[in-house]
Amino acid sequence: MKKLELHWQIMIGMIVGITFGYLMTFWSGGAKFINDWIVPFGTIFIRLLKLIAIPLILASLVKGISDLQDISKFKNMGIRTILIYMFTTLIAIVIGLGIVNLLDPGKGIPKETIAQLTSTYTNNADISAKITEAANQKAAGPLDFVVNMVPDNIIGAMTDNGMMLQIIFFAIFIGISLLLVDDKKAKPLKDFFDSLNEVVLKMVDLIMLTAPFAVFALLAGVVVSANDPEILKKLAFYTAIVLLGLSLMIVFYMTVAYIYTKKTPGQFFKAISPAQLLAFSTSSSAATLPVTMERVNEHLGVDEEVSSFVLPVGATINMDGTSLYQAVAAVFIAQAMNFPLDFTAQLTIVFTALLASIGSAAVPGAGMVMLVIVLESIGFPADKLAVGLALIFAVDRPLDMCRTVVNVTGDAFVSLCVGKSLGKLHEPHERKWDENYKLKHKKL
């Protein structure tokens, strides 16, 4: 019997996890049971993906650049990547502003709901932490972002997944240096990174064997920790508008991908759906990165020298889903709090959300920090920031899951476009996790 494809296995894991989590909410000890005995397996899965993220970025990026044989090719790829990422982020923000201004979700929020949300969440520790973190980011100098890209200790940078840009910088530095060294002297180090890349990719295959079970554990935990259902219902219109915007962004990806690369929506979704489903479950494009790289390379047919650069960079600077969410959330809060927004303020949202997305952490909750920066840029009263965040805090977690799907989809889309523009698309070839194992045993 033919084995069920991975994306269907993960989908089943999601459905069973949500159902199991919901049923356990009817038992007084259900939440504790899931948090003690189910969630840890999902946590282990995320840790395994994070464990291999830095070795994979380092090995694949060094290998990809050193395979180019020409520094000018790398420059072309880098410029195209950054420009396309900025363009898609701009499109996302415009879509978000368009639908939130057209549908006015904030004007339908009753004062009683605002008062209830304010009393529930204004003093929330997470909200206070986001406001403090945003203040720290805003206080940074204009070139701090560039300075922070350059590590002073690569070993220290490799101990923190949040230092991804520093790892990318170091890997690019090594790759370019390898191109400038005599081939005979460069070969041993190049062979090392080639070998490391193959081993880490195999580790991705092995980790993905447990993905359906991990997704079950993660979503069961999300369901039992959900907020007050009544509050969620009152914010349903706002939630629906965010989801509409995210859906339109995916339609944009599919349309352009089909016109430019001739990849049908079915082919695209089949290739990257496991990465999308993991992005939904983990709310982290950084944790999903190893899977995204494997799916784009083996299932979309993008050459590794392209995907190994475009995807790690995208996980750091490309936040299409989050940027769209910033636009909708900022205008929604302004509408609900009767804070007027003129055309200039809306343009400010566009540029601030675009700039805030660059270098934003690819981890759960980073969107809230960006939102504070966006709200402050339009002159939103500082004493009402906590109230504004409280309005949307109850639904931030499920929306974070959805916008991370768009972030990851956007990374894959840009990788596909850059690969096409450079003539670096090949026929997809899936490598089975046990293909070499079977081959070795046949020889024996």
Side-chain angles (χ1 to χ4, degrees), residues 199-213:
V199 171
V200 177
L201 285 174
K202 190 59 63 178
M203 292 172 72
V204 175
D205 292 337
L206 293 173
I207 293 171
M208 287 302 291
L209 294 176
T210 66
F213 308 101

Side-chain angles (χ1 to χ4, degrees), residues 170-436:
F170 182 68
I172 292 172
F173 203 6
I174 291 181
I176 292 175
S177 299
L178 276 173
L179 290 176
L180 301 174
V181 173
D182 180 76
D183 288 345
K184 289 183 179 179
K185 293 182 178 179
K187 190 176 186 304
L189 186 58
K190 188 175 183 305
D191 287 344
F192 167 77
F193 281 112
D194 286 354
S195 178
L196 178 61
N197 185 59
E198 289 297 318
V199 171
V200 177
L201 285 174
K202 190 59 63 178
M203 292 172 72
V204 175
D205 292 337
L206 293 173
I207 293 171
M208 287 302 291
L209 294 176
T210 66
F213 308 101
V215 167
F216 160 80
L218 290 167
L219 289 185
V222 169
V223 171
V224 297
S225 61
N227 291 288
D228 183 357
E230 290 304 314
I231 292 179
L232 301 183
K233 289 178 183 177
K234 292 173 182 177
L235 293 174
F237 188 32
Y238 160 72
T239 302
I241 288 179
V242 175
L243 294 178
L244 172 62
L246 296 176
S247 300
L248 290 175
M249 196 62 204
I250 290 182
V251 170
F252 168 77
Y253 294 143
M254 297 300 96
T255 303
V256 177
Y258 179 68
I259 293 172
Y260 185 55
T261 70
K262 303 307 178 185
K263 293 281 185 183
T264 66
Q267 291 173 319
F268 189 88
F269 278 120
K270 183 178 179 181
I272 68 163
S273 53
Q276 290 175 315
L277 296 172
L278 287 180
F280 180 80
S281 305
T282 64
S283 296
S284 173
S285 50
T288 312
L289 180 59
V291 180
T292 309
M293 293 177 72
E294 185 261 349
R295 301 302 298 189
V296 167
N297 180 242
E298 295 185 22
H299 299 264
L300 272 183
V302 178
D303 280 8
E304 193 172 351
E305 62 193 57
V306 173
S307 61
S308 62
F309 172 77
V310 177
L311 293 174
V313 170
T316 307
I317 72 168
N318 182 51
M319 299 284 168
D320 291 350
T322 306
S323 297
L324 187 149
Y325 158 81
Q326 308 304 314
V328 175
V331 177
F332 169 77
I333 290 171
Q335 291 171 347
M337 305 288 291
N338 292 316
F339 181 79
L341 291 177
D342 56 18
F343 182 71
T344 302
Q346 304 248 4
L347 279 181
T348 302
I349 291 175
V350 172
F351 290 112
T352 307
L354 178 62
L355 293 175
S357 69
I358 300 174
S360 176
V363 296
M368 273 282 188
V369 177
M370 292 170 59
L371 179 58
V372 173
I373 296 172
V374 171
L375 286 171
E376 288 182 339
S377 72
I378 58 175
F380 193 79
D383 59 331
K384 293 184 178 180
L385 272 177
V387 177
L389 296 185
L391 289 178
I392 61 171
F393 188 77
V395 293
D396 184 66
R397 172 61 172 165
L399 290 181
D400 194 10
M401 298 164 72
C402 295
R403 61 185 184 250
T404 304
V405 174
V406 175
N407 291 342
V408 169
T409 306
D411 294 345
F413 164 76
V414 174
S415 186
L416 185 66
C417 290
V418 173
K420 173 69 175 179
S421 69
L422 296 172
K424 297 293 182 180
L425 276 181
H426 60 262
E427 194 64 30
H429 172 66
E430 180 184 359
R431 292 181 290 190
K432 303 294 183 180
W433 71 271
D434 59 349
E435 59 185 3
N436 291 314

